[in-house]
Every structure is written in structure tokens, then in C-alpha cells.
Amino acid sequence: MAAAPGPSPTIVEYFEGEDFYRCGYCKNETGSRSNGMWAHSMTVQDYQALIDRGWRRSGKYVYKPVMNQTCCPQYTIRCQPLHFQPSKSHKKVLKKMFKFLSKGEFSKGNNEEEPMDSQMDDAAVEDFVLKSKLDIQSDRRPLSEDYNEVIESEVKEKEENLEAKEIQQFNQSHAAKESLGSGEPSRTVKGVPSTPKPGKGADLSKPPCRKAKDIRKERKRQKLILKSQTDKLEDFQTEREPQLLPSGKSKLNQPKSIEDFIFDTLPEDAAHQLKFTRFLCSSPLEAETPPNGPDCGYGSFHQQYWLDGKIIAVGVIDVLPYCVSSVYLYYDPDYSFLSLGVYSALREIAFTRQLHEKTSQLSYYYMGFYIHSCPKMKYKGQYRPSDLLCPETYVWVPIEQCLPALENSKYCRFNQDTKAVDEERVNELDRLRVLYKRTIMPYNIYKKRQKGPSDEAIVQQYADLVGQTCSERMLLFRS
């Protein structure tokens, strides 16, 4: 039995550095600049490698900002879903959705939507509005009944009660056990008499007085012993807890996860029903279903959001070997009060965690570009923990380490190792693959057959941008 044919190779048509054009972020008429190529077809492996070098796709057009020249440098950002915990604003969106679905209650306040990415110029579909991912709401009031705050309040109250009990027990135990002292005048300390009996000096039937400082030290020592014993008990319980807790339930002393909010069961008489469907969609990415991959396979997908039988939003995502990459979301503006950008991003983070259970190497959520110089586009940095891609060495750096440098300069090299270089820089241009006159050949053969002026400078630029591995795997179309 013949083996199933593999995916078509990546075929791209490269365009040398474009002229400066209008920036969609700062509105500078001649401030933005990027390199681009048209993807006739592309494997998920190659696109994964490209976005890890700062590329991003809009339809079949794949582009990379010229970071040290463009007015608003765009840094590739990825979130770490396996360690992600929703913030208060994220929980607010999730609770708002649950309240709307269960009771039909909502508040159409002033919702400040995020501007669309300048490269997202695909036509809007009928009454849908194309918006950038991860829209953030202007209302940031703290939650009055936040889960963490309730737990912390309960823990604090229990600690205070325990401390009062400890002090009482401490005084009682010392009153019974301490031997007679030297007759030192007593002091006003709880559990110890403040004055001796008239005419008799110190009361020999009572324990000797102690300095308040000594009592405080003893109390502290007792509390440390108690805390040590409590910690050991908690460690013992933690080891046994996974076997005792039902699957999918979070422990009471831990914050709620996205899944706890998203997959919370709605009441039987819920006011609305929200359903999700996922379909492969048209894209340059070749769909793949390897045996060790996720159940849905790799490729581009439409995630459809259906409310009471009506489609209200469609998110486009790319499922790649190591990540879920958010492309964009378009939705019915009548439902903007539900903060669908934030909600869909949180669902996609949860989806990434689901895929990771089957495919362990798939463990990141790519959010596109982070633009620190544009105030309204810094919101992606709130999905923590997250990393930014160094534009010179293409290594990932925690965003917390990048922010101080970005405050001083729009363009930054994040890698602190001054000797580090791009490990994928092209050293052998002759090994680059070319598609010329329907024939695949290495670049050194193409050069011999080429007629007219040499295009080696353009090919070298392309190779430097895509890296050695991609230059040897992808086919560069030349006419």
C-alpha cells in the first residue's frame, strides 16, 4: 500500500524591502516599513519557523517589519498558557459572559475597542467588523466578590482567631508549668497579676513575672513551630490530594483557572446558549494530520461563536507544531459589550492547554505583535507570563526584562549577551532552493542559468530574513 503523499512544499515569492508607507498605529504617513512575500503554499513547520523569526501572515501575504527603521516596532509576543492565570479584568469578562448566558443580564457601557492591526486589511464580511484580537475594556473597577479576595479574607480571619487561641494557651501553659522566680516586681501582662498582695510582696502562689519582650519572643517561637507543623501537614495533604479531588476541580486554596470559568455548568433555565464550532479555512498553510499531532490536526481554522443559533463572531487561528497562533477575530458589533476579543483570547488559551494534553510540544499561544510605543496596543502584555522575541538574535526574553529598555527606546535588542548572534544566519547561499521555470534547483545552479542582471543581493536579503533552515526547505519562486 502506497504511503499517503506529504504536504506540498512551501513556495514563496519575495518582495524586496518596500518603500515607507502610512502607519496604522501612529498615523505617520511615511513612517512604517516592512518586507513581505506572497505564500502560494506553506507548511506548518515553515510558518512556525518564520513566526519565530518575527514574521506574521495576513491571508497569504507574509510580512516582517523592518524593526530598526519602522516608526512603531512590532515585537512578536507569545503567552505561556501552561502557567497562565487570569487577571482581575480577565475574570470580569468571563463572569460577565456567564452572567449574560445564565440570566440574560448585561450592561452596555462604554466599551473601548482596540484598533485593528494595520496589516489586517481583509474585507469585512457583511455586518461583521474586523477587529484586532484581545480587545480590552476601559472599565477596570475591581471585582467586589473576587474569588481570591474572599479566600484571602477567610484565611486572614482564621489566622487571627488561631493567634488569639495560641496566646491564651501559651499563658495557661506557662501559668501551670513555670517554677518560682526571684520575686521581681510584676508587670502588666495578660495572665500575670499586675500587683502583689498588700504587705506580702510577691504572691508566691503565682508564677513569677516575665518581661513583655520575653513573652513576645516565646510566642513567636511557638508560632514558628506551629507553622512548621502546618506546612508539613499541607505538604502531606498535597501529595494525596490529586487522588481525592474529582478530575477538573481546583483546590480551594488556589485561584480559579480559565477552565473553571469557561466550562462552568449553566443552569437548566439559562437565558442564552453559546456554542462553538471549528472548521478548516482557506489559507496558504497546508493542513496536516500526523499520528502524533493534535486531534484537529495542524492548519488554519475558523472558530465560530454561535449565540442562540446566530453566529456572532469568527476567530481565525493557526494550529502549528509548537503553538496556537491568533490571526484575527471579526464579530457582530451589537455584541461588543461582551468583550468578545478578550473572551475569545481566553478560550484560545484554554484550547492551547487542551491541545498540549495530546501533543506535549504544543505549549504556546502567539498573540501577534506587541507595540510598546503605541499606548492602545500594549494590552497584550497583560497576558502573563509572556515573552518577546529579540529582533536580532531571535531568542525569547520574558517581557518583564524587556519593558525597562522599551521605556527608553522604541527599538531594542533584548538579548543581554553582547556576543550572541543569529544562529540561523545564512552561511551557504548556494544551498538555498529556487523554483525556476517549473524546476527545483539549488541557488548555485540557478545562477548559471539566469539571464539578465544578477539578483543575488535580493536573494541574500531574503535568506537573511527567513534563516538557513527555511531557505533550504522553502522554494523561492524566480521568474
Side-chain angles (χ1 to χ4, degrees):
M1 183 176 178
S8 301
T10 297
I11 302 175
V12 296
E13 191 170 356
Y14 176 71
F15 307 105
E16 61 180 311
E18 298 177 357
D19 292 334
F20 287 90
Y21 53 89
R22 186 176 186 271
C23 176
Y25 303 107
C26 70
K27 311 305 179 185
N28 186 326
E29 292 296 330
T30 57
S32 188
R33 192 181 189 198
S34 67
N35 296 296
M37 53 191 179
W38 187 261
H40 296 275
S41 64
M42 182 168 287
T43 67
V44 292
Q45 290 80 11
D46 287 337
Y47 187 52
Q48 177 74 71
L50 288 174
I51 62 174
D52 285 334
R53 292 183 65 81
W55 293 82
R56 180 165 169 78
R57 80 173 184 89
S58 176
K60 291 191 173 185
Y61 182 71
V62 189
Y63 61 99
K64 185 180 189 300
V66 182
M67 298 289 283
N68 59 351
Q69 297 181 25
T70 192
C71 55
C72 295
Q74 301 162 55
Y75 298 92
T76 301
I77 182 171
R78 72 178 186 186
C79 174
Q80 300 179 30
L82 304 187
H83 304 288
F84 176 81
Q85 283 293 339
S87 65
K88 286 187 177 181
S89 61
H90 296 151
K91 292 177 185 177
K92 184 174 182 179
V93 171
L94 294 170
K95 289 182 177 180
K96 178 169 59 176
M97 176 65 81
F98 184 83
K99 190 175 182 180
F100 172 72
L101 295 176
S102 59
K103 300 180 181 179
E105 299 176 5
F106 63 91
S107 174
K108 288 192 176 183
N110 293 327
N111 292 306
E112 183 181 343
E113 304 294 350
E114 290 301 326
M116 69 176 73
D117 289 347
S118 62
Q119 299 292 344
M120 301 303 174
D121 53 2
D122 300 61
V125 180
E126 296 181 352
D127 62 340
F128 287 96
V129 177
L130 179 62
K131 295 289 183 180
S132 70
K133 288 292 298 157
L134 317 176
D135 65 313
I136 192 139
Q137 304 304 312
S138 57
D139 186 1
R140 292 188 174 278
R141 290 173 295 175
L143 299 173
S144 59
E145 297 181 359
D146 183 76
Y147 180 83
N148 291 332
E149 292 175 359
V150 173
I151 295 298
E152 288 173 3
S153 176
E154 292 178 355
V155 171
K156 185 176 180 181
E157 182 180 353
K158 290 179 180 178
E159 286 179 346
E160 290 174 349
N161 293 338
L162 180 62
E163 183 177 355
K165 188 175 181 181
E166 287 174 23
I167 293 172
Q168 183 180 2
Q169 290 175 344
F170 169 80
N171 288 321
Q172 290 174 350
S173 65
H174 278 272
K177 294 179 182 178
E178 290 228 335
S179 59
L180 297 178
S182 59
E184 178 183 332
S186 60
R187 288 167 173 75
T188 306
V189 180
K190 184 177 179 181
V192 180
S194 57
T195 57
K197 290 184 178 181
K200 294 186 178 181
D203 186 356
L204 300 181
S205 66
K206 301 292 184 181
C209 301
R210 304 178 65 214
K211 292 183 179 180
K213 183 170 73 171
D214 294 335
I215 294 177
R216 286 196 298 270
K217 286 182 179 180
E218 182 64 19
R219 287 174 183 170
K220 184 175 181 181
R221 187 179 70 83
Q222 293 288 342
K223 288 184 70 174
L224 289 174
I225 293 174
L226 181 64
K227 184 178 184 305
S228 176
Q229 294 172 343
T230 303
D231 289 343
K232 290 179 181 178
L233 178 60
E234 288 179 352
D235 291 341
F236 176 74
Q237 291 174 335
T238 301
E239 293 175 1
R240 293 169 110 62
E241 217 158 357
Q243 300 173 359
L244 302 175
L245 287 174
S247 177
K249 298 291 184 180
S250 62
K251 292 183 288 186
L252 291 178
N253 62 340
Q254 290 192 1
K256 294 180 75 171
S257 67
I258 318 175
E259 291 84 357
D260 293 328
F261 287 102
I262 292 178
F263 302 121
D264 198 359
T265 305
L266 289 170
E268 292 183 1
D269 60 345
H272 301 287
Q273 291 293 328
L274 185 65
K275 296 183 178 180
F276 301 88
T277 57
R278 186 175 299 113
F279 297 99
L280 277 168
C281 63
S282 176
S283 134
L285 299 185
E286 297 287 326
E288 294 184 34
T289 54
N292 59 342
D295 293 336
C296 63
Y298 298 122
S300 298
F301 295 86
H302 274 154
Q303 295 213 110
Q304 299 180 355
Y305 295 71
W306 292 83
L307 181 67
D308 301 333
K310 175 187 177 183
I311 189 169
I312 63 170
V314 177
V316 179
I317 60 171
D318 294 331
V319 178
L320 304 175
Y322 301 109
C323 74
V324 169
S325 175
S326 170
V327 183
Y328 56 78
L329 173 87
Y330 44 97
Y331 59 84
D332 188 335
D334 289 343
Y335 294 91
S336 61
F337 65 90
L338 290 174
S339 305
L340 291 171
V342 174
Y343 183 77
S344 64
L346 295 173
R347 282 202 70 100
E348 288 168 7
I349 289 174
F351 178 53
T352 305
R353 302 210 294 208
Q354 289 178 328
L355 296 180
H356 172 77
E357 293 179 3
K358 172 69 185 299
T359 310
S360 59
Q361 72 269 18
L362 202 163
S363 54
Y364 294 101
Y365 176 61
Y366 284 50
M367 298 179 284
F369 289 137
Y370 173 81
I371 308 172
H372 191 80
S373 57
C374 181
K376 285 191 175 183
M377 294 303 293
K378 294 163 66 174
Y379 62 95
K380 296 180 184 180
Q382 297 173 0
Y383 292 75
R384 302 286 181 92
S386 57
D387 310 301
L388 296 184
L389 187 68
C390 176
E392 295 182 7
T393 61
Y394 303 110
V395 298
W396 294 100
V397 180
I399 192 170
E400 294 85 356
Q401 298 179 23
C402 305
L403 295 179
L406 288 172
E407 288 294 328
N408 297 322
S409 174
K410 289 183 178 181
Y411 173 75
C412 298
R413 170 195 168 110
F414 300 137
N415 193 335
Q416 297 298 311
D417 183 358
T418 57
K419 296 181 180 179
V421 296
D422 174 14
E423 297 293 338
E424 276 282 300
R425 58 183 175 180
V426 174
N427 296 316
E428 300 180 56
L429 192 61
D430 286 348
R431 295 172 59 180
L432 179 145
R433 294 211 300 169
V434 174
L435 178 61
Y436 178 62
K437 292 185 176 181
R438 300 184 179 181
T439 304
I440 299 174
M441 62 188 73
Y443 183 68
N444 60 338
I445 301 297
Y446 162 75
K447 284 193 301 184
K448 297 176 182 177
R449 298 187 181 184
Q450 180 187 8
K451 296 180 181 179
S454 171
D455 61 355
E456 185 165 343
I458 297 174
V459 174
Q460 182 68 58
Q461 185 184 63
Y462 157 81
D464 291 339
L465 293 173
V466 302
Q468 186 74 46
T469 300
C470 280
S471 71
E472 295 179 19
R473 279 199 314 225
M474 303 194 308
L475 302 180
L476 175 62
F477 176 80
R478 308 307 288 166
S479 59

